């Protein structure tokens, strides 16, 4: 069935089951994107004959131009980043030089890093699929049995792992990996666009530690004369292994790769692969209440779209931002579909559960999967025809990465963007060119963030003593960092270098995926079975005592959250209720670093201290206007030192704009929510990466103030990028609120799903007046 006909068929079915009160169609915009033809070049004649034969057996008789260019650059000894679209054959860009090296000399070694275990194991299967006797590849991660690990260290010449295991399992035990590091020729960093923000800053520090360890063992020096084909020496080439990075299309692939690796990198961005035509539908859930502006939930609507597509044949992925959302979409989509045909896939599932879903997709037994961004990456899950994106995924790069999973075998692709009840999503529905033609964002990492740098410098000292003048990390701040660690007794100086004071590597105590340390285990109280795990940063909000938690479509009620043992004890729960936490946040200005005056108003950037308390929770029933239960919680406060921006609005400006003092709290609160919602248009993040506070009179500014802050210790560069847009961010915020058709404020403009105050008070007209007043003297 033609994609457009298919979509209208699903739309008609849902309109009959869940009509809109205003009669508007669900599909508000439909666009066909043209196909692209391949740019092919011949396979190099000097590749080893055995490798050429294996390529031909796999159907590869020519290369896309970007694949050939990547091979040539790596042969020349240059570090490379390949930034081309989904399904463009990026894997072959690093597989070819890797396999060539090993066929010429099987004593050479390669290290492959992926952001997820699933992707690493998918690439392991791909490498083994070449059936080259010189390639001894093995996955080494948290799922690798202990009895196999020693054999992998002794025999593998390709180790596939993730930054987490490199951080805690390989670098601290480098002596046991000495021969591997000595022979290391190639380091592959796959899907490196995922390594951004705080996680990316950790990865950048880990790669610098890797380079230090490689230098200790003279990596690359062991290879014999057959290890590499004849090549010219790259000017300025640093010693050690060659780095090959692969990324989705982002605005700064070369700069981002260089920041991650700490090395000069050549970028390859011209995509020579073909791509089928794509039909993109912008889909608006139906209006349910014209007075309040309430719409059918995005989760329920996306679940029905997924189910409707699966029933009509196309294998479909539905992407959603939250783990809970993935579970709910899968549950909704199973209506009228055989249960095994639709599954959920997300972080927190056990390893065997994840692999069962991957196998089911690849073999065609599973036809629909609701997933978080865990399946956004290049895992081969068979032939997919359609993708549903439930709400803005955080960045344009992620949107097109997810959309690119459809049509991977040359058939026309169907992509449905189901708008969430969110200011950004409805701004995009009203401005479709912002979605389809929007420039890609830049990925940001900051290895100088002290909350990142200090623990990794301590780890580095344990692996090899650190000199204050070495350039492995950040030379400008390294001496002061070493002094601080020395003052705290973590390091000691001797003969001009810094040594660890502890007997064990500190790596195991440093979480690199979140800001809150080691995760909490979720355990079934009666059987002791491990259900899953949750990041420490999310634990107080999602697995507090009394919380309802979803896992693979099953609901659990948390009996008790043990803060000491970091365990949430759970009981099975049969109801349909869900829980929503109540919280309170205070913010203090620590230091203003920059200020831009807009007449009497001003936008500030600086350091802030945030204290959040999860005070209680509400148990709610779907469709019910009031909570079924409200309970208090006694949890310790969560302190966060980070970066933020804030807009100050003096009393006289608000008075002249007609915003009376009594209306300022609701107006500022509404503007804060919308500003957070629109932030992902300007910075590579999603709204859950940032927080906000608004007040009619803040003690540190003396006037009405709206704060938006990074939700990670030390900051992640999100609010700084928003500050650099000048008025752009707040003008888009004003346009989103003013353009919403509701009268008093709704989830599409000023209500927030993460508000700890139950979205009270909110004043939509006041927010429009407040922002208009703040921007009046700001210029264009």
């Amino acid at each position: 069935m033609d994609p457009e006909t298919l979509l209208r068929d699903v739309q008609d079915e849902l309109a009959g089951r869940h009509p809109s009160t205003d009669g508007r169609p669900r599909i508000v915009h439909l666009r066909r994107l043209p196909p692209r033809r391949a740019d092919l070049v011949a396979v190099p004649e000097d590749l080893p004959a055995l490798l050429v034969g294996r390529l031909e057996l796999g159907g590869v008789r020519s290369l896309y131009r970007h694949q050939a260019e990547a091979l040539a650059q790596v042969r020349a000894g240059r570090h490379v980043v390949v930034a081309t679209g989904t399904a463009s054959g990026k894997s072959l860009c690093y597989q070819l030089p890797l396999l060539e090296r090993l066929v010429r000399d099987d004593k050479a070694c390669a290290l492959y890093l992926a952001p997820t275990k699933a992707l690493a194991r998918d690439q392991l299967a791909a490498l083994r699929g070449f059936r080259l006797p010189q390639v001894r590849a093995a996955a080494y991660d948290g799922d690798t049995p202990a009895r196999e690990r020693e054999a992998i260290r002794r025999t593998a010449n390709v180790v596939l792992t993730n930054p987490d295991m490199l951080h805690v399992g390989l670098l601290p035990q480098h002596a046991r990996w000495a021969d591997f590091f000595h022979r290391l020729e190639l380091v592959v960093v796959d899907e490196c666009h995922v390594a951004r923000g705080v996680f990316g800053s950790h990865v950048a520090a880990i790669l610098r530690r890797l380079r230090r360890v490689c230098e200790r063992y003279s990596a690359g020096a062991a290879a014999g004369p057959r290890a590499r084909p004849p090549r010219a020496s790259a000017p300025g080439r640093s010693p050690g292994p060659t780095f090959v990075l692969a990324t989705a299309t982002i605005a700064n692939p070369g700069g981002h790769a260089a920041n991650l690796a700490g090395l000069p990198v050549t970028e390859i961005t011209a995509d020579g692969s073909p791509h089928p035509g794509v039909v993109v539908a912008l889909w608006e859930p139906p209006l349910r209440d014209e007075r309040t502006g309430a719409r059918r939930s995005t989760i329920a609507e996306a679940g029905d779209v997924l189910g409707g597509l699966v029933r009509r044949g196309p294998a479909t992925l539905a992407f959603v931002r939250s783990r809970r959302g993935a579970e709910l979409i899968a549950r909704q989509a199973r209506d009228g579909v055989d249960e095994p045909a639709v599954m959920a896939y997300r972080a927190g599932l056990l390893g065997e559960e994840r692999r069962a879903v991957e196998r089911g997709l690849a073999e065609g037994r599973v036809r629909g999967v609701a997933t978080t961004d865990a399946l956004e990456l290049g895992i081969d899950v068979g032939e997919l025809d359609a993708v549903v994106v439930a709400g803005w995924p955080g960045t344009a790069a992620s949107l097109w990465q997810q959309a690119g999973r459809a049509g991977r075998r040359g058939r026309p692709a169907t992509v449905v963007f189901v708008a969430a009840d969110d200011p950004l999503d409805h701004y995009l529905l009203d401005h479709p060119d912002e979605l389809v033609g929007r420039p890609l964002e830049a990925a940001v990492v900051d290895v100088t963030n002290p909350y990142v740098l200090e623990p990794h410098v301590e780890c580095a000292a344990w692996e090899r003593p650190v000199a204050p003048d070495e350039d492995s990390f950040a030379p400008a701040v390294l001496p002061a960092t070493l002094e601080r660690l020395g003052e705290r007794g973590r390091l000691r100086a001797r003969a001009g270098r810094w040594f660890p004071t502890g007997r064990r590597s500190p790596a195991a105590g440093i979480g690199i995926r979140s800001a809150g340390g080691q995760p909490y285990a979720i355990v079934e109280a009666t059987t002791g079975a491990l259900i899953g795990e949750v990041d420490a940063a999310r634990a107080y909000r999602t697995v507090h005592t009394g919380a309802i938690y979803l896992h693979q479509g099953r609901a659990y009620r948390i009996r008790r959250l043990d803060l000491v043992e970091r365990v949430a004890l759970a009981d099975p729960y049969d109801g349909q209720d869900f829980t929503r936490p109540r919280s309170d946040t205070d913010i203090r200005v620590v230091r203003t670093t920059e200020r831009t005056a807009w007449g009497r108003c001003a936008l500030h950037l600086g350091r802030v201290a945030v204290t959040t308390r999860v005070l209680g929770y509400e148990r709610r029933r779907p469709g019910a206007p009031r909570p079924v239960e409200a309970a208090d919680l006694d949890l310790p406060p969560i302190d966060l030192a980070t970066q933020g921006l804030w807009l100050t609005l003096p009393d006289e400006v608000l008075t002249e704009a007609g915003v009376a003092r009594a209306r300022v709290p609701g107006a500022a609160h509404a503007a804060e929510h919308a500003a957070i919602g629109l932030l992902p248009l300007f910075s590579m993040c999603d709204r859950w990466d940032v927080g906000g506070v608004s007040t009619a009179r803040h003690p540190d500014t003396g006037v009405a103030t709206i704060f938006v802050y990074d939700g990670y210790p030390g900051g992640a560069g999100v609010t700084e990028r928003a500050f650099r847009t000048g008025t752009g961010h707040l003008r888009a915020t004003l346009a989103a609120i003013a353009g919403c058709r509701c009268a008093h404020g709704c989830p599409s403009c000023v209500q927030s799903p993460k508000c700890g105050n139950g979205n009270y008070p909110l004043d939509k007209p006041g927010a429009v007046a407040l922002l208009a007043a703040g921007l009046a003297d700001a210029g264009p």
Side-chain angles (χ1 to χ4, degrees), residues 362-448:
E363 295 167 5
R365 290 179 289 103
V366 175
R367 302 293 296 162
V369 172
T371 178
T372 58
D373 60 3
L375 276 181
E376 176 183 316
L377 308 179
I379 302 167
D380 189 351
V381 288
E383 300 189 8
L384 298 170
D385 305 292
V387 163
V388 178
V389 182
W392 178 250
T395 67
S398 287
L399 174 73
W400 296 113
Q401 181 85 348
Q402 292 174 4
R405 298 311 307 264
R408 286 172 69 94
R409 297 298 185 269
R411 294 196 295 266
T414 302
V415 177
V416 186
F417 172 70
V418 182
D421 247 354
D422 181 279
L424 186 151
D425 291 54
H426 282 264
Y427 177 84
L428 294 171
L429 290 184
D430 292 337
H431 303 82
D433 287 340
E434 285 283 345
L435 182 70
V436 178
R438 180 168 187 79
L440 298 173
E441 306 90 348
V444 178
V445 298
D446 180 13
V447 78
T448 67

Side-chain angles (χ1 to χ4, degrees), residues 505-662:
S505 168
I510 301 165
I512 68 171
R513 297 276 176 170
S514 66
Q518 296 304 304
Y520 282 68
I522 306 163
V523 174
E524 189 165 345
T526 53
T527 65
L530 177 65
I531 298 169
E533 60 182 30
V534 63
D535 293 341
R538 298 174 183 257
Y540 287 9
R541 298 182 63 87
T542 59
V543 293
H544 55 74
T545 299
I548 295 170
Y549 179 80
L550 283 178
H551 180 87
Q552 276 294 37
R554 297 184 179 89
Y556 295 85
R557 186 85 186 262
I558 303 300
R559 180 189 298 185
R560 182 167 63 90
L561 177 63
D562 188 325
L563 303 181
V564 176
E565 298 295 330
R566 303 177 84 83
V567 170
L569 297 176
D571 297 307
Y573 179 72
D574 294 330
Q576 296 294 315
D577 295 354
F578 62 94
T579 50
R580 180 178 294 166
R582 278 188 300 109
S583 61
D584 181 63
T585 301
D586 294 322
I587 193 165
R588 178 172 57 86
V589 175
V590 176
R591 183 175 70 256
T592 301
T593 55
E594 294 188 51
R595 178 180 183 273
T596 300
W598 296 342
R600 290 169 291 178
C601 302
L603 189 67
H604 310 253
L605 180 72
R607 312 302 301 181
V608 294
V610 183
T611 300
T612 301
R613 297 174 179 83
V614 178
L615 304 173
Y617 67 93
E618 296 175 345
R619 182 162 59 91
R620 290 182 167 268
R621 196 152 291 158
R626 293 181 177 81
V628 176
E629 175 192 12
D632 294 332
L633 294 170
D634 183 17
L635 292 169
I638 305 168
D639 294 318
L640 175 68
T642 187
Q643 186 176 54
L645 63 80
W646 56 99
L647 175 66
T648 51
L649 301 115
D651 293 348
E652 62 269 21
V653 172
L654 298 176
T655 300
E656 292 170 11
V659 183
R661 181 177 295 277

Side-chain angles (χ1 to χ4, degrees), residues 102-103 252 378 404 475 511 542 678 680:
L102 298 188
V103 168
N252 62 334
T542 59
L678 268 292

Side-chain angles (χ1 to χ4, degrees), residues 108-156:
C109 292
L111 177 67
Y112 170 93
L113 298 173
T116 65
K117 296 183 222 178
L119 181 56
R121 289 180 179 269
D122 184 75
Q123 286 299 307
L124 172 63
L127 287 174
R128 287 177 173 172
F130 284 95
R131 301 180 66 181
L132 291 165
Q134 299 91 339
V135 177
R136 302 182 298 278
Y140 192 92
D141 56 37
D143 294 341
T144 305
R147 63 182 179 276
E148 297 178 12
R149 297 188 177 193
E150 178 58 34
I152 291 172
R153 282 192 290 268
R154 286 198 320 268
T155 63

Side-chain angles (χ1 to χ4, degrees), residues 2-5 7-8 11 26-33 278-283 414-416 432 436:
D2 173 77
E4 188 170 340
T5 304
L7 289 170
R8 297 200 185 280
Q11 176 183 241
R26 282 164 158 83
I27 299 174
V28 299
H29 185 78
L30 200 68
R31 184 168 298 188
R32 287 184 175 271
L33 304 181
V278 181
V279 173
V280 180
L282 307 191
W283 189 289
T414 302
V415 177
V416 186
V436 178

Side-chain angles (χ1 to χ4, degrees), residues 165-385:
M165 182 57 81
L166 178 61
H167 165 58
V168 299
L170 275 72
L171 295 177
Q173 301 182 48
H174 57 82
R176 304 179 74 180
W177 291 87
D179 190 59
F180 178 84
F181 285 128
H182 180 51
R183 299 179 182 279
L184 186 59
E185 288 280 307
L186 199 70
V187 176
V188 176
V189 184
D190 204 359
E191 304 288 0
C192 72
H193 65 284
V194 175
R196 63 181 187 266
V198 170
F199 173 59
S201 301
H202 279 292
V203 172
I206 291 166
L207 293 180
R208 283 156 174 78
R209 287 167 49 200
L210 170 64
R211 288 171 47 220
R212 294 180 80 250
V213 168
C214 289
E215 184 179 325
R216 172 173 181 157
Y217 292 104
S218 302
R226 295 181 299 126
R228 297 187 184 102
R231 68 180 189 190
S233 228
R237 168 72 159 83
S238 58
T242 302
F243 280 73
V244 181
L245 301 95
T247 176
T249 47
I250 57 176
N252 62 334
H256 180 55
N259 288 338
L260 283 176
L263 296 165
V265 176
T266 300
E267 67 176 28
I268 297 171
T269 58
D271 192 337
S273 68
H275 198 276
V278 181
V279 173
V280 180
L282 307 191
W283 189 289
E284 184 176 43
L287 191 67
R288 305 190 80 166
D289 187 324
E290 292 191 59
R291 183 182 61 83
T292 64
R295 295 185 176 276
R296 187 171 188 238
S297 84
T298 308
I299 297 298
E301 188 76 2
D304 280 344
V305 173
L306 172 61
L309 290 170
V310 169
R311 284 194 300 275
R312 288 163 175 80
T316 306
L317 291 182
F319 287 97
V320 65
R321 288 175 288 188
S322 72
R323 301 178 184 186
R324 176 184 174 85
E327 297 284 359
L328 290 172
I329 286 176
R331 178 189 285 184
Q332 182 80 16
R334 289 182 186 129
D335 184 20
V337 178
D338 293 339
E339 181 168 335
V342 177
M343 301 290 287
Y345 186 102
R346 59 174 178 79
L349 296 182
L350 302 180
E352 185 50 41
E353 291 178 306
R354 293 193 304 271
R355 287 190 286 277
V357 177
E358 294 161 18
R359 286 195 301 270
L361 266 176
E363 295 167 5
R365 290 179 289 103
V366 175
R367 302 293 296 162
V369 172
T371 178
T372 58
D373 60 3
L375 276 181
E376 176 183 316
L377 308 179
I379 302 167
D380 189 351
V381 288
E383 300 189 8
L384 298 170
D385 305 292

